[in-house]
Amino acid sequence: MVENRSDTFEIGGEETVHRLGYGAMRITGEGIIGEPEDIENAHEVLRAAVDLGIDFIDTADSYGPGTSERLIREALLSDPEYRDRVLIATKGGLLRQPSTEWLPRGDPEYLRNALLCSIDRLGVEQIDLYQHHRPDPDTPFEDSINTLAELQDDGYIKHVGVSNVSVEQLDQAREIVDVATVQNEYNIVNRNDEEVLAACENYDIGFIPWYPLAAGDLGEKADVIESVADEHDASRYQIALAWLLEHSDVTLPIPGTSSIEHLEANVAASAIDLTDEQYDRLTS
């Protein structure tokens, strides 16, 4: 039986979750706009994720917008069988446009309203992990983080995270609030934020790599990944996930899918043990 065999990480030093999570962006409609074509399938994928041992689900108010959060409430948080088995992380700070644009909005008034809307859509009194989605060039970064710190003090947020930040911005945020997680683009092909990951390791902060499978574009790594995949009778995407789990003890990959079959394949990657030689080949 497929089950999540990844080891665990304590978010904020308090919330223990398996390191392989699930990203809930793809359960929305085409272009990450509106409802999916099959709402019940989205519900089934979310419940299947928890049944397979995933206890960390990441979403954002901009996915839909609002659709992903509502689906999570309907499938999980309104059901006593599931609501206490999963930690939900969401994000605010991007304004979704029908033209597919994602516009940074980090001003305090916007973030306060976004947080309250997320609480309403999720049907909770407190967000487990609330992340600032992207620094806004028109708003001082400190103002955005101060707003989240105030909302945490008011009891609306349990843990604060940041996303798409540099090491300098992470340090700025840490001077204001206890940062539980960082979510940046990172995968076996794109390791531009290695310094941010190293900082997270140093501070014992969870590092959530978005785009963990590079949307299947494995570039110059494709051949070596394929060879290791053959050695494990696995897919190259499973090897890319296994590498992320092996690469650092603080990584929390959140591959997303709208397919139960793909979900099961992603979870199965948590059982792949790379040899030192295989890891070195993939990393070099």
Side-chain angles (χ1 to χ4, degrees):
M1 177 180 177
V2 177
E3 61 180 329
N4 190 353
R5 297 185 182 179
S6 62
D7 56 7
T8 60
F9 181 83
E10 290 187 356
I11 293 179
E14 297 179 355
E15 312 293 332
T16 301
V17 298
H18 286 87
R19 287 176 51 220
L20 181 66
Y22 173 78
M25 183 173 74
R26 296 294 176 187
I27 60 171
T28 62
E30 184 177 355
I32 324 303
I33 294 289
E35 293 186 340
E37 190 171 311
D38 188 340
I39 293 176
E40 185 51 38
N41 176 73
H43 291 164
E44 290 175 358
V45 169
L46 288 165
R47 289 190 287 261
V50 178
D51 289 337
L52 291 170
I54 289 175
D55 48 17
F56 176 57
I57 293 179
D58 177 84
T59 186
D61 66 347
S62 55
Y63 300 163
T67 308
S68 179
E69 291 179 329
R70 287 196 299 271
L71 291 170
I72 288 170
R73 182 197 69 226
E74 292 165 1
L76 302 176
L77 299 182
S78 62
D79 188 336
E81 182 181 348
Y82 288 97
R83 65 187 177 201
D84 294 328
R85 296 164 56 191
V86 63
L87 184 150
I88 304 297
T90 192
K91 300 180 287 290
L94 278 185
L95 185 62
R96 188 74 171 112
Q97 298 292 292
S99 60
T100 73
E101 289 182 289
W102 306 75
L103 305 178
R105 283 292 302 272
D107 55 280
E109 292 78 12
Y110 180 85
L111 287 178
R112 289 191 182 96
N113 184 73
L115 181 279
L116 291 176
C117 289
S118 289
I119 282 177
D120 180 67
R121 282 189 292 266
L122 289 169
V124 298
E125 296 181 357
Q126 184 184 63
I127 302 290
D128 295 327
L129 171 62
Y130 194 76
Q131 305 156 91
H132 181 35
H133 207 150
R134 184 179 294 276
D136 179 357
D138 295 326
T139 301
F141 186 62
E142 294 89 342
D143 290 357
S144 301
I145 302 304
N146 269 314
T147 300
L148 298 192
E150 292 168 1
L151 290 165
Q152 184 182 48
D153 289 342
D154 291 339
Y156 293 111
I157 299 171
K158 188 164 188 178
H159 298 289
V160 172
V162 292
S163 183
N164 299 299
V165 296
S166 64
V167 172
E168 179 182 4
Q169 289 168 326
L170 173 57
D171 288 338
Q172 289 175 340
R174 291 182 63 248
E175 291 178 358
I176 298 169
V177 69
D178 288 334
V179 176
T181 59
V182 170
Q183 184 168 168
N184 280 19
E185 180 177 359
Y186 189 88
N187 52 60
I188 194 169
V189 178
N190 179 356
R191 306 180 209 168
N192 293 334
D193 280 343
E194 199 75 53
E195 290 185 357
V196 180
L197 173 56
C200 289
E201 292 173 336
N202 187 45
Y203 302 138
D204 199 26
I205 291 173
F207 184 84
I208 306 170
W210 65 265
Y211 218 42
L213 298 177
D217 182 8
L218 301 176
E220 62 183 24
K221 285 286 183 183
D223 289 343
V224 65
I225 295 171
E226 196 73 54
S227 68
V228 174
D230 288 343
E231 293 162 13
H232 283 275
D233 192 23
S235 74
R236 57 184 186 170
Y237 308 116
Q238 288 174 315
I239 297 302
L241 282 176
W243 180 86
L244 277 172
L245 291 167
E246 178 70 24
H247 188 53
S248 171
D249 290 340
V250 304
T251 55
L252 304 166
I254 49 167
T257 179
S258 60
S259 160
I260 290 180
E261 180 181 359
H262 291 161
L263 173 66
E264 291 176 343
N266 290 339
V267 171
S270 68
I272 295 174
D273 291 322
L274 300 174
T275 67
D276 291 344
E277 185 272 339
Q278 289 170 338
Y279 173 79
D280 290 342
R281 281 160 56 198
L282 293 166
T283 305
S284 63

Short mmCIF file of all heavy atoms in Angstrom, two decimals, residues 215-274:
data_model
loop_
_atom_site.label_atom_id
_atom_site.label_comp_id
_atom_site.label_asym_id
_atom_site.label_seq_id
_atom_site.Cartn_x
_atom_site.Cartn_y
_atom_site.Cartn_z
N ALA A 215 7.90 21.49 -13.38
CA ALA A 215 6.87 21.25 -14.41
C ALA A 215 7.33 20.24 -15.45
O ALA A 215 6.94 20.29 -16.62
CB ALA A 215 6.45 22.56 -15.08
N GLY A 216 8.17 19.30 -15.02
CA GLY A 216 8.64 18.26 -15.91
C GLY A 216 9.82 18.64 -16.78
O GLY A 216 10.38 17.79 -17.49
N ASP A 217 10.26 19.91 -16.73
CA ASP A 217 11.38 20.36 -17.55
C ASP A 217 12.67 20.17 -16.76
O ASP A 217 13.09 21.05 -16.00
CB ASP A 217 11.20 21.82 -17.94
CG ASP A 217 12.32 22.33 -18.85
OD1 ASP A 217 13.15 21.50 -19.29
OD2 ASP A 217 12.36 23.55 -19.12
N LEU A 218 13.32 19.04 -16.93
CA LEU A 218 14.50 18.71 -16.15
C LEU A 218 15.80 19.03 -16.88
O LEU A 218 16.89 18.74 -16.37
CB LEU A 218 14.45 17.23 -15.76
CG LEU A 218 13.21 16.85 -14.94
CD1 LEU A 218 13.19 15.36 -14.66
CD2 LEU A 218 13.13 17.64 -13.65
N GLY A 219 15.69 19.64 -18.05
CA GLY A 219 16.83 20.21 -18.74
C GLY A 219 18.02 19.28 -18.86
O GLY A 219 17.89 18.10 -19.20
N GLU A 220 19.21 19.83 -18.55
CA GLU A 220 20.45 19.07 -18.70
C GLU A 220 20.57 17.94 -17.68
O GLU A 220 21.44 17.07 -17.81
CB GLU A 220 21.65 20.01 -18.56
CG GLU A 220 21.75 20.69 -17.22
CD GLU A 220 22.90 21.68 -17.14
OE1 GLU A 220 23.32 22.17 -18.20
OE2 GLU A 220 23.36 21.94 -16.01
N LYS A 221 19.69 17.92 -16.69
CA LYS A 221 19.71 16.86 -15.68
C LYS A 221 18.90 15.64 -16.11
O LYS A 221 18.89 14.61 -15.42
CB LYS A 221 19.15 17.39 -14.35
CG LYS A 221 20.10 18.29 -13.58
CD LYS A 221 21.20 17.48 -12.94
CE LYS A 221 22.13 18.33 -12.12
NZ LYS A 221 23.23 17.53 -11.57
N ALA A 222 18.19 15.76 -17.22
CA ALA A 222 17.24 14.71 -17.59
C ALA A 222 17.90 13.34 -17.73
O ALA A 222 17.36 12.34 -17.25
CB ALA A 222 16.54 15.09 -18.90
N ASP A 223 19.07 13.29 -18.35
CA ASP A 223 19.70 11.98 -18.59
C ASP A 223 20.11 11.29 -17.30
O ASP A 223 19.86 10.09 -17.11
CB ASP A 223 20.91 12.15 -19.51
CG ASP A 223 20.51 12.48 -20.94
OD1 ASP A 223 19.34 12.26 -21.29
OD2 ASP A 223 21.38 12.94 -21.71
N VAL A 224 20.76 12.03 -16.40
CA VAL A 224 21.20 11.41 -15.16
C VAL A 224 20.01 11.03 -14.28
O VAL A 224 20.00 9.99 -13.63
CB VAL A 224 22.19 12.32 -14.39
CG1 VAL A 224 21.54 13.60 -13.91
CG2 VAL A 224 22.80 11.56 -13.20
N ILE A 225 18.98 11.87 -14.28
CA ILE A 225 17.78 11.54 -13.52
C ILE A 225 17.12 10.29 -14.09
O ILE A 225 16.68 9.40 -13.35
CB ILE A 225 16.79 12.72 -13.52
CG1 ILE A 225 17.39 13.92 -12.79
CG2 ILE A 225 15.46 12.33 -12.88
CD1 ILE A 225 16.59 15.19 -12.92
N GLU A 226 17.09 10.20 -15.42
CA GLU A 226 16.51 9.03 -16.07
C GLU A 226 17.28 7.76 -15.71
O GLU A 226 16.68 6.70 -15.46
CB GLU A 226 16.50 9.24 -17.58
CG GLU A 226 15.60 8.30 -18.35
CD GLU A 226 14.12 8.63 -18.18
OE1 GLU A 226 13.73 9.78 -18.42
OE2 GLU A 226 13.37 7.71 -17.77
N SER A 227 18.60 7.86 -15.66
CA SER A 227 19.40 6.67 -15.35
C SER A 227 19.16 6.20 -13.92
O SER A 227 19.05 5.01 -13.66
CB SER A 227 20.89 6.95 -15.58
OG SER A 227 21.40 7.88 -14.64
N VAL A 228 19.08 7.15 -12.98
CA VAL A 228 18.80 6.78 -11.59
C VAL A 228 17.38 6.24 -11.48
O VAL A 228 17.13 5.28 -10.73
CB VAL A 228 19.01 7.99 -10.65
CG1 VAL A 228 18.58 7.64 -9.22
CG2 VAL A 228 20.47 8.43 -10.67
N ALA A 229 16.46 6.81 -12.22
CA ALA A 229 15.08 6.32 -12.20
C ALA A 229 15.02 4.86 -12.67
O ALA A 229 14.31 4.04 -12.07
CB ALA A 229 14.20 7.20 -13.09
N ASP A 230 15.78 4.54 -13.71
CA ASP A 230 15.81 3.16 -14.20
C ASP A 230 16.34 2.20 -13.12
O ASP A 230 15.85 1.07 -12.98
CB ASP A 230 16.68 3.06 -15.45
CG ASP A 230 16.04 3.71 -16.67
OD1 ASP A 230 14.81 3.94 -16.63
OD2 ASP A 230 16.76 4.00 -17.63
N GLU A 231 17.30 2.66 -12.35
CA GLU A 231 17.89 1.82 -11.30
C GLU A 231 16.90 1.54 -10.18
O GLU A 231 17.04 0.55 -9.44
CB GLU A 231 19.15 2.49 -10.76
CG GLU A 231 20.29 2.55 -11.78
CD GLU A 231 21.36 3.56 -11.43
OE1 GLU A 231 21.36 4.04 -10.27
OE2 GLU A 231 22.19 3.88 -12.31
N HIS A 232 15.91 2.41 -10.03
CA HIS A 232 14.91 2.23 -8.97
C HIS A 232 13.56 1.78 -9.53
O HIS A 232 12.60 1.66 -8.75
CB HIS A 232 14.72 3.55 -8.20
CG HIS A 232 15.81 3.84 -7.21
ND1 HIS A 232 15.82 3.35 -5.93
CD2 HIS A 232 16.96 4.56 -7.35
CE1 HIS A 232 16.90 3.78 -5.29
NE2 HIS A 232 17.61 4.51 -6.14
N ASP A 233 13.48 1.57 -10.85
CA ASP A 233 12.21 1.26 -11.48
C ASP A 233 11.17 2.31 -11.08
O ASP A 233 10.04 2.00 -10.68
CB ASP A 233 11.73 -0.14 -11.07
CG ASP A 233 10.55 -0.62 -11.93
OD1 ASP A 233 10.41 -0.11 -13.06
OD2 ASP A 233 9.77 -1.46 -11.45
N ALA A 234 11.60 3.56 -11.20
CA ALA A 234 10.76 4.70 -10.80
C ALA A 234 10.70 5.69 -11.95
O ALA A 234 11.40 5.56 -12.96
CB ALA A 234 11.35 5.37 -9.55
N SER A 235 9.84 6.69 -11.81
CA SER A 235 9.79 7.76 -12.81
C SER A 235 10.84 8.81 -12.46
O SER A 235 11.29 8.92 -11.32
CB SER A 235 8.41 8.39 -12.84
OG SER A 235 8.21 9.23 -11.71
N ARG A 236 11.21 9.62 -13.43
CA ARG A 236 12.19 10.67 -13.16
C ARG A 236 11.63 11.72 -12.20
O ARG A 236 12.37 12.36 -11.46
CB ARG A 236 12.67 11.31 -14.47
CG ARG A 236 11.59 11.89 -15.35
CD ARG A 236 12.22 12.40 -16.64
NE ARG A 236 11.27 13.11 -17.48
CZ ARG A 236 11.61 13.80 -18.56
NH1 ARG A 236 12.87 13.85 -18.92
NH2 ARG A 236 10.70 14.43 -19.26
N TYR A 237 10.31 11.88 -12.22
CA TYR A 237 9.70 12.84 -11.30
C TYR A 237 9.78 12.33 -9.86
O TYR A 237 9.97 13.11 -8.92
CB TYR A 237 8.25 13.11 -11.71
CG TYR A 237 8.13 13.49 -13.17
CD1 TYR A 237 7.43 12.68 -14.06
CD2 TYR A 237 8.76 14.63 -13.65
CE1 TYR A 237 7.35 13.01 -15.40
CE2 TYR A 237 8.68 14.97 -15.00
CZ TYR A 237 7.98 14.15 -15.86
OH TYR A 237 7.92 14.48 -17.20
N GLN A 238 9.65 11.03 -9.69
CA GLN A 238 9.81 10.46 -8.35
C GLN A 238 11.24 10.65 -7.86
O GLN A 238 11.48 10.93 -6.68
CB GLN A 238 9.43 8.98 -8.36
CG GLN A 238 7.94 8.74 -8.51
CD GLN A 238 7.61 7.27 -8.65
OE1 GLN A 238 8.26 6.53 -9.41
NE2 GLN A 238 6.59 6.81 -7.92
N ILE A 239 12.21 10.51 -8.75
CA ILE A 239 13.61 10.71 -8.37
C ILE A 239 13.86 12.17 -8.02
O ILE A 239 14.60 12.47 -7.06
CB ILE A 239 14.55 10.24 -9.50
CG1 ILE A 239 14.39 8.73 -9.73
CG2 ILE A 239 16.00 10.60 -9.18
CD1 ILE A 239 14.66 7.88 -8.51
N ALA A 240 13.26 13.09 -8.75
CA ALA A 240 13.42 14.51 -8.44
C ALA A 240 12.87 14.82 -7.04
O ALA A 240 13.46 15.61 -6.29
CB ALA A 240 12.72 15.37 -9.49
N LEU A 241 11.76 14.19 -6.67
CA LEU A 241 11.21 14.37 -5.32
C LEU A 241 12.10 13.71 -4.27
O LEU A 241 12.35 14.29 -3.21
CB LEU A 241 9.80 13.80 -5.25
CG LEU A 241 8.67 14.64 -5.83
CD1 LEU A 241 7.36 13.87 -5.76
CD2 LEU A 241 8.55 15.97 -5.11
N ALA A 242 12.55 12.51 -4.56
CA ALA A 242 13.43 11.81 -3.62
C ALA A 242 14.70 12.62 -3.37
O ALA A 242 15.20 12.67 -2.24
CB ALA A 242 13.77 10.41 -4.15
N TRP A 243 15.21 13.25 -4.42
CA TRP A 243 16.41 14.08 -4.26
C TRP A 243 16.14 15.28 -3.34
O TRP A 243 16.96 15.61 -2.47
CB TRP A 243 16.90 14.58 -5.62
CG TRP A 243 18.14 15.44 -5.51
CD1 TRP A 243 19.43 15.02 -5.47
CD2 TRP A 243 18.16 16.87 -5.38
NE1 TRP A 243 20.28 16.11 -5.33
CE2 TRP A 243 19.53 17.25 -5.28
CE3 TRP A 243 17.19 17.85 -5.35
CZ2 TRP A 243 19.93 18.57 -5.14
CZ3 TRP A 243 17.57 19.19 -5.21
CH2 TRP A 243 18.93 19.53 -5.11
N LEU A 244 14.99 15.91 -3.50
CA LEU A 244 14.65 17.05 -2.62
C LEU A 244 14.58 16.62 -1.16
O LEU A 244 15.06 17.33 -0.27
CB LEU A 244 13.30 17.65 -3.04
CG LEU A 244 13.31 18.65 -4.20
CD1 LEU A 244 11.88 18.99 -4.61
CD2 LEU A 244 14.07 19.92 -3.81
N LEU A 245 13.99 15.46 -0.91
CA LEU A 245 13.89 14.96 0.46
C LEU A 245 15.27 14.60 1.03
O LEU A 245 15.52 14.77 2.22
CB LEU A 245 12.96 13.75 0.52
CG LEU A 245 11.48 14.04 0.27
CD1 LEU A 245 10.71 12.75 0.05
CD2 LEU A 245 10.88 14.83 1.44
N GLU A 246 16.16 14.12 0.16
CA GLU A 246 17.49 13.73 0.59
C GLU A 246 18.41 14.93 0.76
O GLU A 246 19.31 14.93 1.61
CB GLU A 246 18.10 12.78 -0.45
CG GLU A 246 19.52 12.33 -0.17
CD GLU A 246 19.61 11.38 1.02
OE1 GLU A 246 18.59 10.73 1.32
OE2 GLU A 246 20.69 11.30 1.63
N HIS A 247 18.19 15.98 -0.02
CA HIS A 247 19.11 17.10 -0.12
C HIS A 247 19.26 17.88 1.18
O HIS A 247 20.33 18.39 1.49
CB HIS A 247 18.68 18.03 -1.24
CG HIS A 247 19.66 19.11 -1.57
ND1 HIS A 247 20.98 18.85 -1.86
CD2 HIS A 247 19.51 20.45 -1.65
CE1 HIS A 247 21.61 19.99 -2.12
NE2 HIS A 247 20.74 20.97 -2.00
N SER A 248 18.18 18.00 1.94
CA SER A 248 18.22 18.77 3.19
C SER A 248 17.14 18.28 4.13
O SER A 248 16.03 17.94 3.70
CB SER A 248 18.03 20.26 2.91
OG SER A 248 17.87 20.98 4.12
N ASP A 249 17.44 18.28 5.42
CA ASP A 249 16.46 17.84 6.42
C ASP A 249 15.35 18.85 6.65
O ASP A 249 14.37 18.54 7.34
CB ASP A 249 17.16 17.57 7.75
CG ASP A 249 18.05 16.34 7.71
OD1 ASP A 249 17.84 15.49 6.82
OD2 ASP A 249 18.96 16.23 8.57
N VAL A 250 15.47 20.06 6.09
CA VAL A 250 14.44 21.08 6.32
C VAL A 250 13.53 21.29 5.11
O VAL A 250 12.60 22.10 5.16
CB VAL A 250 15.05 22.44 6.75
CG1 VAL A 250 15.92 22.27 7.98
CG2 VAL A 250 15.81 23.11 5.61
N THR A 251 13.80 20.56 4.01
CA THR A 251 12.94 20.73 2.84
C THR A 251 11.59 20.08 3.04
O THR A 251 11.48 18.98 3.59
CB THR A 251 13.58 20.15 1.56
OG1 THR A 251 13.92 18.78 1.77
CG2 THR A 251 14.81 20.95 1.15
N LEU A 252 10.55 20.75 2.58
CA LEU A 252 9.16 20.28 2.67
C LEU A 252 8.54 20.37 1.28
O LEU A 252 7.77 21.28 0.99
CB LEU A 252 8.37 21.14 3.66
CG LEU A 252 8.93 21.27 5.09
CD1 LEU A 252 8.26 22.41 5.83
CD2 LEU A 252 8.76 19.97 5.84
N PRO A 253 8.86 19.43 0.40
CA PRO A 253 8.31 19.50 -0.96
C PRO A 253 6.79 19.38 -0.96
O PRO A 253 6.22 18.61 -0.20
CB PRO A 253 8.95 18.30 -1.67
CG PRO A 253 10.11 17.90 -0.81
CD PRO A 253 9.74 18.27 0.58
N ILE A 254 6.15 20.14 -1.85
CA ILE A 254 4.69 20.13 -1.92
C ILE A 254 4.23 19.93 -3.37
O ILE A 254 3.57 20.81 -3.95
CB ILE A 254 4.09 21.43 -1.34
CG1 ILE A 254 4.80 22.65 -1.94
CG2 ILE A 254 4.18 21.45 0.18
CD1 ILE A 254 4.08 23.97 -1.67
N PRO A 255 4.54 18.79 -3.98
CA PRO A 255 4.08 18.57 -5.35
C PRO A 255 2.55 18.59 -5.42
O PRO A 255 1.88 18.07 -4.54
CB PRO A 255 4.63 17.19 -5.70
CG PRO A 255 4.78 16.50 -4.37
CD PRO A 255 5.19 17.58 -3.43
N GLY A 256 2.04 19.22 -6.47
CA GLY A 256 0.59 19.31 -6.61
C GLY A 256 0.10 18.55 -7.82
O GLY A 256 0.82 18.34 -8.79
N THR A 257 -1.14 18.12 -7.76
CA THR A 257 -1.75 17.40 -8.86
C THR A 257 -3.26 17.38 -8.67
O THR A 257 -3.75 17.53 -7.54
CB THR A 257 -1.23 15.95 -8.94
OG1 THR A 257 -1.88 15.27 -10.02
CG2 THR A 257 -1.51 15.19 -7.65
N SER A 258 -3.98 17.19 -9.77
CA SER A 258 -5.43 16.99 -9.67
C SER A 258 -5.80 15.55 -9.94
O SER A 258 -6.97 15.22 -10.11
CB SER A 258 -6.15 17.90 -10.68
OG SER A 258 -5.73 17.61 -12.01
N SER A 259 -4.79 14.65 -9.94
CA SER A 259 -5.00 13.24 -10.26
C SER A 259 -4.60 12.37 -9.07
O SER A 259 -3.50 12.50 -8.54
CB SER A 259 -4.16 12.86 -11.48
OG SER A 259 -3.95 11.47 -11.57
N ILE A 260 -5.46 11.46 -8.68
CA ILE A 260 -5.13 10.54 -7.59
C ILE A 260 -3.97 9.63 -8.00
O ILE A 260 -3.09 9.31 -7.20
CB ILE A 260 -6.36 9.73 -7.17
CG1 ILE A 260 -7.38 10.64 -6.46
CG2 ILE A 260 -5.97 8.57 -6.26
CD1 ILE A 260 -8.64 9.96 -5.99
N GLU A 261 -3.94 9.23 -9.27
CA GLU A 261 -2.85 8.39 -9.75
C GLU A 261 -1.51 9.09 -9.60
O GLU A 261 -0.53 8.50 -9.11
CB GLU A 261 -3.07 8.03 -11.21
CG GLU A 261 -1.98 7.14 -11.79
CD GLU A 261 -2.21 6.82 -13.26
OE1 GLU A 261 -3.23 7.26 -13.84
OE2 GLU A 261 -1.36 6.12 -13.85
N HIS A 262 -1.44 10.35 -9.99
CA HIS A 262 -0.20 11.11 -9.84
C HIS A 262 0.12 11.36 -8.37
O HIS A 262 1.28 11.35 -7.97
CB HIS A 262 -0.30 12.43 -10.59
CG HIS A 262 -0.33 12.28 -12.08
ND1 HIS A 262 -0.79 13.27 -12.93
CD2 HIS A 262 0.02 11.23 -12.87
CE1 HIS A 262 -0.70 12.84 -14.18
NE2 HIS A 262 -0.22 11.62 -14.17
N LEU A 263 -0.92 11.59 -7.58
CA LEU A 263 -0.73 11.78 -6.15
C LEU A 263 -0.07 10.55 -5.52
O LEU A 263 0.89 10.66 -4.75
CB LEU A 263 -2.08 12.05 -5.48
CG LEU A 263 -2.11 12.10 -3.96
CD1 LEU A 263 -1.32 13.29 -3.43
CD2 LEU A 263 -3.55 12.15 -3.45
N GLU A 264 -0.57 9.37 -5.87
CA GLU A 264 0.00 8.14 -5.33
C GLU A 264 1.44 7.96 -5.78
O GLU A 264 2.29 7.51 -5.00
CB GLU A 264 -0.85 6.95 -5.75
CG GLU A 264 -2.23 6.92 -5.08
CD GLU A 264 -3.10 5.79 -5.59
OE1 GLU A 264 -2.78 5.23 -6.67
OE2 GLU A 264 -4.10 5.45 -4.91
N ALA A 265 1.74 8.34 -7.01
CA ALA A 265 3.12 8.23 -7.50
C ALA A 265 4.04 9.18 -6.73
O ALA A 265 5.18 8.83 -6.39
CB ALA A 265 3.17 8.54 -8.99
N ASN A 266 3.55 10.38 -6.45
CA ASN A 266 4.35 11.33 -5.68
C ASN A 266 4.62 10.82 -4.27
O ASN A 266 5.74 10.91 -3.76
CB ASN A 266 3.64 12.69 -5.62
CG ASN A 266 3.62 13.41 -6.95
OD1 ASN A 266 4.42 13.13 -7.84
ND2 ASN A 266 2.70 14.35 -7.09
N VAL A 267 3.60 10.27 -3.64
CA VAL A 267 3.76 9.74 -2.29
C VAL A 267 4.73 8.56 -2.30
O VAL A 267 5.55 8.40 -1.38
CB VAL A 267 2.40 9.35 -1.69
CG1 VAL A 267 2.58 8.61 -0.37
CG2 VAL A 267 1.53 10.59 -1.47
N ALA A 268 4.66 7.73 -3.33
CA ALA A 268 5.56 6.58 -3.42
C ALA A 268 7.02 7.00 -3.48
O ALA A 268 7.92 6.25 -3.07
CB ALA A 268 5.21 5.73 -4.64
N ALA A 269 7.28 8.23 -3.95
CA ALA A 269 8.67 8.73 -4.02
C ALA A 269 9.28 8.85 -2.63
O ALA A 269 10.51 8.80 -2.49
CB ALA A 269 8.70 10.08 -4.72
N SER A 270 8.44 8.98 -1.61
CA SER A 270 8.96 9.12 -0.25
C SER A 270 9.62 7.85 0.25
O SER A 270 10.34 7.87 1.26
CB SER A 270 7.84 9.53 0.71
OG SER A 270 6.89 8.49 0.88
N ALA A 271 9.40 6.73 -0.44
CA ALA A 271 9.99 5.45 -0.02
C ALA A 271 11.29 5.15 -0.77
O ALA A 271 11.92 4.12 -0.51
CB ALA A 271 8.99 4.33 -0.25
N ILE A 272 11.70 6.02 -1.69
CA ILE A 272 12.91 5.79 -2.47
C ILE A 272 14.13 6.24 -1.67
O ILE A 272 14.21 7.39 -1.24
CB ILE A 272 12.85 6.54 -3.81
CG1 ILE A 272 11.72 5.97 -4.67
CG2 ILE A 272 14.19 6.44 -4.54
CD1 ILE A 272 11.50 6.74 -5.96
N ASP A 273 15.05 5.32 -1.46
CA ASP A 273 16.31 5.64 -0.77
C ASP A 273 17.43 5.73 -1.81
O ASP A 273 17.81 4.72 -2.40
CB ASP A 273 16.65 4.57 0.27
CG ASP A 273 15.69 4.57 1.45
OD1 ASP A 273 15.29 5.69 1.86
OD2 ASP A 273 15.34 3.49 1.94
N LEU A 274 17.93 6.92 -2.01
CA LEU A 274 19.04 7.11 -2.93
C LEU A 274 20.34 6.67 -2.28
O LEU A 274 20.58 6.95 -1.10
CB LEU A 274 19.15 8.58 -3.35
CG LEU A 274 17.95 9.19 -4.05
CD1 LEU A 274 18.17 10.69 -4.24
CD2 LEU A 274 17.68 8.51 -5.39
#
